[in-house]
Coordinates of all heavy atoms in Angstrom, one line a residue:
M16 N 38.2 0.0 11.9 CA 36.8 0.1 11.7 C 36.5 1.4 11.0 O 37.0 2.4 11.4 CB 36.0 0.0 13.1 CG 34.6 0.2 12.9 SD 33.5 -0.1 14.4 CE 34.4 0.4 15.8
L17 N 35.6 1.3 10.1 CA 35.2 2.5 9.3 C 33.8 2.9 9.7 O 32.9 2.1 9.7 CB 35.2 2.2 7.8 CG 34.8 3.3 6.8 CD1 35.7 4.5 6.9 CD2 34.7 2.7 5.4
L18 N 33.7 4.2 10.1 CA 32.4 4.7 10.4 C 31.9 5.6 9.3 O 32.7 6.5 8.8 CB 32.4 5.5 11.7 CG 32.8 4.7 13.0 CD1 32.9 5.6 14.2 CD2 31.8 3.6 13.2
V19 N 30.7 5.5 8.9 CA 30.1 6.3 7.9 C 29.1 7.2 8.5 O 28.1 6.8 9.1 CB 29.5 5.5 6.7 CG1 28.9 6.3 5.7 CG2 30.5 4.5 6.2
A20 N 29.3 8.5 8.3 CA 28.3 9.5 8.8 C 27.1 9.5 7.9 O 27.2 9.4 6.7 CB 28.9 10.9 8.8
T21 N 25.9 9.7 8.5 CA 24.7 9.7 7.7 C 23.8 10.9 8.3 O 23.9 11.2 9.5 CB 24.0 8.4 7.8 OG1 22.8 8.5 7.0 CG2 23.6 8.0 9.2
D22 N 23.1 11.5 7.4 CA 22.2 12.6 7.8 C 20.8 12.1 8.0 O 19.9 12.9 8.2 CB 22.2 13.7 6.7 CG 23.6 14.3 6.6 OD1 24.3 14.4 7.6 OD2 23.9 14.8 5.5
T23 N 20.5 10.8 7.9 CA 19.2 10.3 8.0 C 18.8 10.1 9.5 O 19.6 9.7 10.3 CB 19.0 9.0 7.3 OG1 19.8 8.0 7.8 CG2 19.2 9.2 5.8
T24 N 17.5 10.5 9.7 CA 17.0 10.2 11.1 C 15.7 9.3 10.9 O 15.1 9.0 11.9 CB 16.5 11.5 11.8 OG1 15.6 12.2 10.9 CG2 17.7 12.4 12.0
I25 N 15.4 8.9 9.7 CA 14.3 8.1 9.4 C 14.7 6.8 8.7 O 15.7 6.9 8.0 CB 13.3 8.9 8.5 CG1 11.9 8.2 8.5 CG2 13.8 9.2 7.2 CD1 10.9 9.1 7.8
S26 N 14.1 5.7 9.0 CA 14.4 4.5 8.3 C 13.3 4.0 7.5 O 12.1 4.4 7.7 CB 14.7 3.4 9.4 OG 13.6 3.0 10.1
C27 N 13.6 3.1 6.6 CA 12.5 2.5 5.7 C 11.5 1.7 6.6 O 10.3 1.7 6.3 CB 13.2 1.6 4.7 SG 12.1 1.3 3.3
G28 N 12.0 1.1 7.7 CA 11.1 0.4 8.6 C 10.1 1.3 9.2 O 8.9 1.0 9.3
Q29 N 10.5 2.5 9.6 CA 9.6 3.5 10.2 C 8.6 4.0 9.2 O 7.4 4.1 9.4 CB 10.4 4.7 10.7 CG 11.2 4.4 11.9 CD 12.2 5.6 12.2 OE1 12.9 6.0 11.3 NE2 12.2 6.0 13.5
V30 N 9.1 4.3 8.0 CA 8.2 4.7 6.9 C 7.2 3.6 6.6 O 6.0 3.9 6.5 CB 9.0 5.1 5.6 CG1 8.1 5.4 4.5 CG2 9.9 6.3 5.9
S31 N 7.6 2.4 6.4 CA 6.8 1.3 6.0 C 5.7 1.0 7.1 O 4.5 0.8 6.7 CB 7.6 0.0 5.8 OG 8.4 0.2 4.7
S32 N 6.1 1.1 8.3 CA 5.1 0.8 9.4 C 4.1 1.9 9.5 O 2.9 1.7 9.9 CB 5.8 0.6 10.7 OG 6.4 1.8 11.2
T33 N 4.4 3.1 9.1 CA 3.5 4.3 9.2 C 2.6 4.3 8.0 O 1.5 4.8 8.1 CB 4.3 5.6 9.2 OG1 5.2 5.5 10.3 CG2 3.4 6.8 9.3
L34 N 2.9 3.7 6.9 CA 2.2 3.9 5.7 C 1.1 2.9 5.4 O 0.5 2.9 4.3 CB 3.2 3.9 4.5 CG 4.0 5.1 4.4 CD1 5.0 5.0 3.2 CD2 3.2 6.4 4.2
N35 N 0.7 2.0 6.3 CA -0.3 1.0 6.0 C -1.6 1.6 5.4 O -2.2 1.2 4.4 CB -0.6 0.1 7.2 CG 0.5 -0.9 7.4 OD1 1.1 -1.3 6.5 ND2 0.7 -1.3 8.6
P36 N -2.2 2.7 6.1 CA -3.4 3.3 5.5 C -3.1 3.9 4.1 O -4.0 3.9 3.2 CB -3.8 4.4 6.5 CG -3.1 4.0 7.8 CD -1.8 3.3 7.4
Y37 N -1.9 4.4 3.9 CA -1.6 5.0 2.6 C -1.6 3.9 1.5 O -2.1 4.0 0.4 CB -0.2 5.6 2.7 CG 0.5 5.7 1.3 CD1 0.2 6.8 0.5 CD2 1.4 4.8 0.9 CE1 0.9 6.9 -0.8 CE2 2.1 4.9 -0.3 CZ 1.8 6.0 -1.2 OH 2.4 6.1 -2.4
I38 N -1.0 2.7 1.8 CA -0.9 1.6 0.9 C -2.3 1.2 0.5 O -2.6 0.9 -0.7 CB -0.1 0.4 1.5 CG1 1.3 0.9 1.8 CG2 -0.1 -0.8 0.5 CD1 2.1 1.3 0.6
S39 N -3.2 1.1 1.5 CA -4.6 0.7 1.2 C -5.2 1.6 0.1 O -5.9 1.1 -0.8 CB -5.4 0.7 2.4 OG -5.0 -0.3 3.3
Y40 N -5.1 2.9 0.3 CA -5.7 3.8 -0.7 C -4.9 3.8 -2.0 O -5.5 3.7 -3.1 CB -5.7 5.2 -0.1 CG -6.1 6.2 -1.2 CD1 -7.5 6.3 -1.7 CD2 -5.2 7.1 -1.8 CE1 -7.8 7.1 -2.7 CE2 -5.6 8.0 -2.8 CZ -6.9 8.0 -3.2 OH -7.2 8.9 -4.2
A41 N -3.6 3.9 -1.9 CA -2.7 4.1 -3.1 C -2.8 2.9 -4.0 O -2.5 3.0 -5.2 CB -1.3 4.4 -2.7
S42 N -3.1 1.7 -3.5 CA -3.2 0.5 -4.3 C -4.7 0.2 -4.8 O -4.9 -0.8 -5.4 CB -2.6 -0.7 -3.6 OG -3.3 -0.9 -2.4
S43 N -5.6 1.1 -4.4 CA -7.0 0.8 -4.7 C -7.5 1.7 -5.8 O -6.8 2.5 -6.4 CB -7.9 1.1 -3.5 OG -8.0 2.5 -3.3
N44 N -8.8 1.6 -6.1 CA -9.4 2.5 -7.1 C -10.4 3.5 -6.4 O -11.2 4.1 -7.0 CB -10.2 1.7 -8.1 CG -9.3 0.9 -9.0 OD1 -8.3 1.4 -9.4 ND2 -9.7 -0.3 -9.3
G45 N -10.2 3.7 -5.1 CA -11.0 4.6 -4.3 C -10.9 6.0 -4.8 O -9.9 6.5 -5.4
A46 N -12.0 6.8 -4.6 CA -12.0 8.2 -5.1 C -11.2 9.2 -4.2 O -10.7 10.1 -4.7 CB -13.5 8.6 -5.2
N47 N -11.2 8.9 -2.9 CA -10.5 9.9 -2.0 C -9.8 9.1 -0.9 O -10.3 8.1 -0.4 CB -11.5 10.8 -1.4 CG -12.1 11.8 -2.4 OD1 -11.4 12.6 -3.0 ND2 -13.4 11.8 -2.5
P48 N -8.6 9.7 -0.5 CA -7.9 9.0 0.6 C -8.7 9.2 1.9 O -9.4 10.2 2.1 CB -6.6 9.8 0.6 CG -6.8 11.1 -0.1 CD -8.0 10.8 -1.0
T49 N -8.5 8.3 2.8 CA -9.1 8.4 4.1 C -8.3 9.4 5.0 O -7.2 9.7 4.6 CB -9.1 7.0 4.8 OG1 -7.7 6.6 5.0 CG2 -9.8 5.9 4.0
A50 N -8.9 9.8 6.1 CA -8.2 10.7 7.0 C -7.0 10.0 7.5 O -5.9 10.6 7.7 CB -9.2 11.0 8.1
A51 N -7.1 8.6 7.7 CA -5.9 7.9 8.2 C -4.8 7.9 7.2 O -3.6 8.0 7.5 CB -6.3 6.4 8.6
C52 N -5.1 7.8 5.9 CA -4.1 7.8 4.9 C -3.4 9.2 4.9 O -2.2 9.3 4.8 CB -4.8 7.6 3.5 SG -3.7 7.9 2.1
C53 N -4.2 10.3 4.9 CA -3.6 11.6 4.9 C -2.8 11.8 6.2 O -1.7 12.5 6.1 CB -4.7 12.7 4.8 SG -5.5 12.7 3.2
S54 N -3.2 11.3 7.3 CA -2.5 11.5 8.5 C -1.1 10.8 8.4 O -0.1 11.3 8.9 CB -3.3 10.9 9.7 OG -2.5 11.0 10.9
C55 N -1.1 9.6 7.9 CA 0.2 8.9 7.8 C 1.2 9.6 6.8 O 2.4 9.6 7.0 CB 0.0 7.4 7.5 SG -0.4 7.0 5.8
V56 N 0.6 10.1 5.7 CA 1.5 10.8 4.7 C 2.0 12.0 5.4 O 3.2 12.4 5.2 CB 0.7 11.1 3.4 CG1 1.5 12.0 2.5 CG2 0.4 9.8 2.7
S57 N 1.2 12.7 6.1 CA 1.7 13.9 6.8 C 2.7 13.6 7.8 O 3.7 14.3 8.0 CB 0.5 14.6 7.5 OG 0.9 15.8 8.1
S58 N 2.6 12.5 8.5 CA 3.5 12.1 9.5 C 4.9 11.8 8.9 O 5.9 12.2 9.4 CB 3.1 10.8 10.3 OG 1.9 11.1 11.1
V59 N 4.9 11.1 7.8 CA 6.1 10.7 7.1 C 6.8 12.0 6.6 O 8.0 12.2 6.7 CB 5.9 9.7 6.0 CG1 7.2 9.6 5.1 CG2 5.5 8.4 6.5
A60 N 6.0 12.9 6.0 CA 6.5 14.2 5.5 C 7.2 15.0 6.6 O 8.2 15.6 6.5 CB 5.4 15.0 4.8
S61 N 6.5 15.0 7.8 CA 7.1 15.7 9.0 C 8.3 15.1 9.5 O 9.2 15.8 10.0 CB 6.0 15.8 10.1 OG 4.9 16.6 9.7
A62 N 8.4 13.8 9.5 CA 9.6 13.1 10.0 C 10.8 13.2 9.1 O 11.9 13.1 9.6 CB 9.2 11.6 10.2
A63 N 10.5 13.4 7.8 CA 11.6 13.6 6.8 C 12.2 15.0 6.9 O 11.7 15.9 6.2 CB 11.2 13.2 5.4
R64 N 13.2 15.2 7.7 CA 13.7 16.6 8.0 C 14.8 17.0 7.2 O 15.2 18.2 7.1 CB 14.0 16.7 9.5 CG 12.9 16.5 10.4 CD 13.2 16.7 11.9 NE 12.1 16.3 12.7 CZ 12.1 15.4 13.6 NH1 13.2 14.7 13.8 NH2 11.1 15.1 14.3
S65 N 15.4 16.1 6.5 CA 16.6 16.4 5.7 C 16.4 15.9 4.3 O 15.6 15.0 4.0 CB 17.9 15.9 6.3 OG 17.9 14.4 6.3
T66 N 17.3 16.3 3.4 CA 17.3 15.7 2.0 C 17.5 14.2 2.1 O 16.8 13.4 1.4 CB 18.4 16.4 1.2 OG1 18.1 17.7 1.1 CG2 18.4 15.7 -0.2
A67 N 18.4 13.7 2.9 CA 18.6 12.3 3.1 C 17.4 11.6 3.5 O 17.1 10.5 3.1 CB 19.8 12.0 4.0
D68 N 16.7 12.2 4.5 CA 15.4 11.6 5.0 C 14.4 11.5 3.9 O 13.7 10.5 3.7 CB 14.8 12.4 6.1 CG 15.6 12.3 7.4 OD1 16.3 11.3 7.6 OD2 15.4 13.1 8.3
E69 N 14.3 12.6 3.1 CA 13.3 12.6 2.0 C 13.6 11.5 1.0 O 12.7 10.9 0.4 CB 13.3 14.0 1.4 CG 12.6 15.0 2.3 CD 12.8 16.4 1.9 OE1 13.6 16.7 1.0 OE2 12.1 17.3 2.5
Q70 N 14.9 11.3 0.7 CA 15.3 10.3 -0.2 C 15.0 8.9 0.3 O 14.5 8.0 -0.5 CB 16.8 10.4 -0.5 CG 17.2 11.6 -1.4 CD 18.6 11.8 -1.5 OE1 19.5 11.3 -0.8 NE2 19.0 12.6 -2.5
V71 N 15.2 8.7 1.6 CA 14.8 7.4 2.2 C 13.3 7.2 2.1 O 12.9 6.1 1.7 CB 15.3 7.3 3.7 CG1 14.7 6.1 4.4 CG2 16.8 7.2 3.7
A72 N 12.6 8.2 2.5 CA 11.1 8.1 2.4 C 10.6 7.8 1.0 O 9.8 6.9 0.8 CB 10.4 9.3 3.0
C73 N 11.2 8.5 0.0 CA 10.9 8.3 -1.4 C 11.1 6.9 -1.8 O 10.2 6.2 -2.4 CB 11.7 9.3 -2.2 SG 11.5 9.1 -4.0
K74 N 12.3 6.4 -1.5 CA 12.6 5.0 -1.9 C 11.7 4.0 -1.2 O 11.3 3.0 -1.9 CB 14.1 4.7 -1.5 CG 15.1 5.4 -2.3 CD 16.5 5.2 -1.9 CE 17.5 6.0 -2.6 NZ 18.8 6.0 -2.0
C75 N 11.3 4.2 0.0 CA 10.4 3.3 0.7 C 9.0 3.3 0.1 O 8.4 2.3 -0.1 CB 10.3 3.7 2.2 SG 11.9 3.4 3.1
I76 N 8.5 4.5 -0.2 CA 7.2 4.7 -0.8 C 7.2 4.0 -2.2 O 6.3 3.3 -2.5 CB 6.8 6.1 -0.9 CG1 6.5 6.7 0.6 CG2 5.5 6.3 -1.7 CD1 6.4 8.2 0.6
K77 N 8.2 4.3 -2.9 CA 8.4 3.7 -4.3 C 8.4 2.2 -4.3 O 7.9 1.6 -5.2 CB 9.7 4.3 -4.9 CG 9.8 4.0 -6.3 CD 11.1 4.7 -6.9 CE 11.4 4.2 -8.3 NZ 12.5 4.9 -8.8
S78 N 8.9 1.6 -3.3 CA 9.0 0.2 -3.2 C 7.8 -0.5 -2.4 O 7.9 -1.6 -2.0 CB 10.3 -0.3 -2.6 OG 10.4 0.1 -1.2
A79 N 6.8 0.3 -2.3 CA 5.6 -0.2 -1.5 C 5.1 -1.5 -2.1 O 5.0 -1.7 -3.3 CB 4.5 0.8 -1.5
P80 N 4.8 -2.5 -1.2 CA 4.3 -3.8 -1.7 C 2.9 -3.7 -2.3 O 2.1 -2.8 -2.0 CB 4.3 -4.6 -0.4 CG 4.1 -3.6 0.7 CD 4.8 -2.4 0.2
G81 N 2.7 -4.6 -3.2 CA 1.3 -4.7 -3.8 C 1.0 -3.9 -5.0 O 0.0 -4.0 -5.6
G82 N 2.0 -3.1 -5.4 CA 1.8 -2.2 -6.6 C 0.8 -1.1 -6.3 O -0.1 -1.2 -5.5
L83 N 1.1 0.1 -6.8 CA 0.3 1.3 -6.6 C -0.5 1.6 -7.8 O -0.1 1.4 -8.9 CB 1.2 2.5 -6.2 CG 2.2 2.3 -5.1 CD1 3.0 3.5 -4.9 CD2 1.4 2.0 -3.8
N84 N -1.7 2.1 -7.5 CA -2.5 2.7 -8.5 C -1.9 4.1 -8.8 O -1.9 5.0 -7.9 CB -4.0 2.9 -8.0 CG -4.9 3.7 -8.9 OD1 -4.5 4.7 -9.5 ND2 -6.1 3.1 -9.1
A85 N -1.3 4.3 -10.0 CA -0.5 5.4 -10.3 C -1.2 6.7 -10.1 O -0.7 7.7 -9.5 CB 0.0 5.4 -11.7
G86 N -2.5 6.8 -10.5 CA -3.3 8.0 -10.3 C -3.5 8.3 -8.8 O -3.4 9.5 -8.4
N87 N -4.0 7.3 -8.1 CA -4.2 7.6 -6.6 C -2.9 8.0 -5.9 O -3.0 8.9 -5.1 CB -4.8 6.3 -6.0 CG -6.3 6.2 -6.2 OD1 -6.9 7.0 -6.9 ND2 -6.9 5.2 -5.7
A88 N -1.9 7.3 -6.2 CA -0.6 7.6 -5.5 C -0.1 9.0 -5.8 O 0.2 9.7 -4.9 CB 0.5 6.6 -5.9
A89 N -0.2 9.4 -7.1 CA 0.2 10.7 -7.4 C -0.6 11.8 -6.9 O -0.2 12.9 -6.6 CB 0.3 10.8 -9.0
D90 N -1.9 11.6 -6.7 CA -2.9 12.6 -6.2 C -2.8 12.8 -4.6 O -3.4 13.7 -4.1 CB -4.3 12.2 -6.6 CG -4.6 12.4 -8.0 OD1 -3.8 13.1 -8.7 OD2 -5.6 11.9 -8.5
I91 N -2.2 11.9 -3.9 CA -2.3 11.9 -2.5 C -1.8 13.2 -1.9 O -2.4 13.8 -1.1 CB -1.6 10.7 -1.8 CG1 -2.4 9.5 -2.0 CG2 -1.3 10.9 -0.3 CD1 -1.8 8.2 -1.6
P92 N -0.6 13.7 -2.3 CA -0.2 15.0 -1.7 C -1.2 16.1 -1.9 O -1.5 16.9 -0.9 CB 1.2 15.3 -2.4 CG 1.7 14.0 -2.8 CD 0.4 13.2 -3.2
F93 N -1.7 16.3 -3.1 CA -2.7 17.3 -3.3 C -4.0 17.1 -2.5 O -4.5 18.0 -1.9 CB -3.1 17.3 -4.8 CG -4.2 18.3 -5.2 CD1 -4.0 19.6 -5.2 CD2 -5.4 17.8 -5.5 CE1 -5.1 20.5 -5.5 CE2 -6.5 18.6 -5.8 CZ -6.3 20.0 -5.8
K94 N -4.5 15.8 -2.6 CA -5.8 15.6 -1.9 C -5.7 15.6 -0.4 O -6.6 15.9 0.3 CB -6.3 14.2 -2.3 CG -6.9 14.2 -3.7 CD -7.5 12.9 -4.1 CE -8.2 12.9 -5.4 NZ -8.8 11.7 -5.8
C95 N -4.5 15.4 0.1 CA -4.2 15.5 1.6 C -3.6 16.8 2.0 O -3.3 17.0 3.2 CB -3.3 14.3 2.0 SG -4.1 12.7 1.8
S96 N -3.4 17.7 1.1 CA -2.7 19.0 1.4 C -1.4 18.8 2.1 O -1.1 19.5 3.1 CB -3.7 19.9 2.2 OG -4.9 20.1 1.5
V97 N -0.6 17.9 1.6 CA 0.7 17.6 2.2 C 1.8 18.0 1.1 O 1.7 17.5 0.0 CB 0.9 16.2 2.6 CG1 2.3 15.9 3.1 CG2 -0.1 15.8 3.7
N98 N 2.7 18.8 1.5 CA 3.8 19.2 0.6 C 5.0 18.2 0.7 O 5.6 18.2 1.7 CB 4.2 20.6 0.8 CG 5.2 21.1 -0.2 OD1 5.2 20.7 -1.3 ND2 5.9 22.1 0.2
I99 N 5.3 17.5 -0.4 CA 6.5 16.7 -0.4 C 7.3 17.1 -1.7 O 6.7 17.5 -2.7 CB 6.2 15.2 -0.4 CG1 5.2 14.8 -1.6 CG2 5.5 14.8 0.9 CD1 5.1 13.3 -1.7
P100 N 8.6 17.0 -1.6 CA 9.4 17.5 -2.7 C 9.6 16.5 -3.9 O 10.6 16.6 -4.6 CB 10.7 17.8 -2.0 CG 10.8 16.8 -0.9 CD 9.4 16.6 -0.5
Y101 N 8.7 15.6 -4.1 CA 8.9 14.7 -5.2 C 7.5 14.1 -5.5 O 6.6 14.2 -4.7 CB 9.8 13.5 -4.8 CG 9.5 12.8 -3.5 CD1 8.6 11.8 -3.5 CD2 10.1 13.3 -2.3 CE1 8.3 11.2 -2.3 CE2 9.8 12.7 -1.1 CZ 8.9 11.6 -1.1 OH 8.6 11.0 0.1
A102 N 7.4 13.6 -6.8 CA 6.2 13.0 -7.2 C 6.1 11.6 -6.7 O 7.1 10.9 -6.6 CB 6.1 13.0 -8.7
I103 N 5.0 11.1 -6.3 CA 4.8 9.7 -5.9 C 4.5 9.0 -7.1 O 3.5 9.0 -7.7 CB 3.7 9.5 -4.8 CG1 4.0 10.3 -3.6 CG2 3.5 8.1 -4.5 CD1 2.9 10.3 -2.5
S104 N 5.6 8.3 -7.6 CA 5.5 7.6 -8.9 C 6.6 6.5 -8.9 O 7.6 6.6 -8.3 CB 5.8 8.6 -10.0 OG 6.1 8.0 -11.2
S105 N 6.3 5.4 -9.6 CA 7.3 4.4 -9.7 C 8.5 4.8 -10.5 O 9.5 4.1 -10.5 CB 6.6 3.1 -10.3 OG 6.1 3.4 -11.6
S106 N 8.4 5.9 -11.3 CA 9.5 6.3 -12.1 C 10.3 7.4 -11.5 O 11.3 7.9 -12.2 CB 8.9 6.7 -13.5 OG 8.1 7.8 -13.4
V107 N 9.9 7.9 -10.4 CA 10.7 9.0 -9.8 C 12.1 8.6 -9.4 O 12.3 7.4 -8.9 CB 9.9 9.6 -8.5 CG1 9.9 8.7 -7.4 CG2 10.6 10.9 -8.1
D108 N 13.1 9.4 -9.6 CA 14.5 9.1 -9.2 C 14.7 9.8 -7.9 O 15.0 11.0 -7.8 CB 15.4 9.7 -10.3 CG 16.9 9.3 -10.0 OD1 17.2 8.8 -8.9 OD2 17.7 9.6 -10.9
C109 N 14.6 9.0 -6.8 CA 14.7 9.5 -5.5 C 16.1 10.1 -5.2 O 16.2 11.0 -4.3 CB 14.5 8.3 -4.5 SG 12.8 7.6 -4.6
S110 N 17.1 9.7 -5.9 CA 18.4 10.3 -5.7 C 18.6 11.7 -6.1 O 19.5 12.4 -5.8 CB 19.5 9.4 -6.4 OG 19.4 9.6 -7.8
K111 N 17.6 12.2 -6.9 CA 17.6 13.6 -7.4 C 16.9 14.6 -6.5 O 16.9 15.7 -6.8 CB 17.1 13.6 -8.8 CG 17.9 12.7 -9.8 CD 17.9 13.3 -11.1 CE 18.7 12.3 -12.0 NZ 19.6 12.8 -12.9
I112 N 16.4 14.1 -5.4 CA 15.7 15.0 -4.5 C 16.8 15.8 -3.8 O 17.8 15.3 -3.3 CB 14.9 14.2 -3.4 CG1 13.8 13.4 -4.1 CG2 14.4 15.1 -2.3 CD1 13.1 12.5 -3.2
C113 N 16.6 17.1 -3.8 CA 17.5 18.0 -3.1 C 16.8 19.1 -2.4 O 15.7 19.3 -2.5 CB 18.5 18.5 -4.1 SG 17.9 19.4 -5.5

């Protein structure tokens, strides 16, 4: 049996279940994210404690269902005052997060 070590403590399932308010805003034409949206983005950012976690979160956000409004998605970290080490964009290369 082969065991593979991993540095992740977060799963795509956890990210996806947390991001429902984010998806609502990021896929809309709304002017500002809701408090619930900012809270969920902050929760995911706090849960992603390692580079591997940040890469998992990035991939999950990038593959969000329903398509994202590129402008709204990209503005969320700024509008919510949440620091994440990558742009929220369909073109971001999550493997380059370090």
Side-chain angles (χ1 to χ4, degrees):
M16 174 169 36
L17 176 67
L18 298 177
V19 178
T21 180
D22 293 330
T23 61
T24 58
I25 193 170
S26 72
C27 200
Q29 291 168 309
V30 172
S31 297
S32 68
T33 303
L34 288 179
N35 284 333
Y37 158 83
I38 299 299
S39 294
Y40 171 73
S42 60
S43 76
N44 290 320
N47 291 301
T49 63
C52 172
C53 290
S54 177
C55 74
V56 171
S57 180
S58 293
V59 170
S61 295
R64 296 184 186 121
S65 68
T66 298
D68 286 340
E69 290 169 348
Q70 290 173 341
V71 167
C73 174
K74 289 174 187 173
C75 294
I76 291 169
K77 187 174 171 178
S78 66
L83 302 180
N84 174 314
N87 279 1
D90 287 346
I91 287 173
F93 173 75
K94 288 185 175 182
C95 292
S96 300
V97 176
N98 187 24
I99 58 173
Y101 51 89
I103 300 177
S104 164
S105 60
S106 63
V107 68
D108 184 349
C109 299
S110 70
K111 299 212 182 223
I112 296 170
C113 54

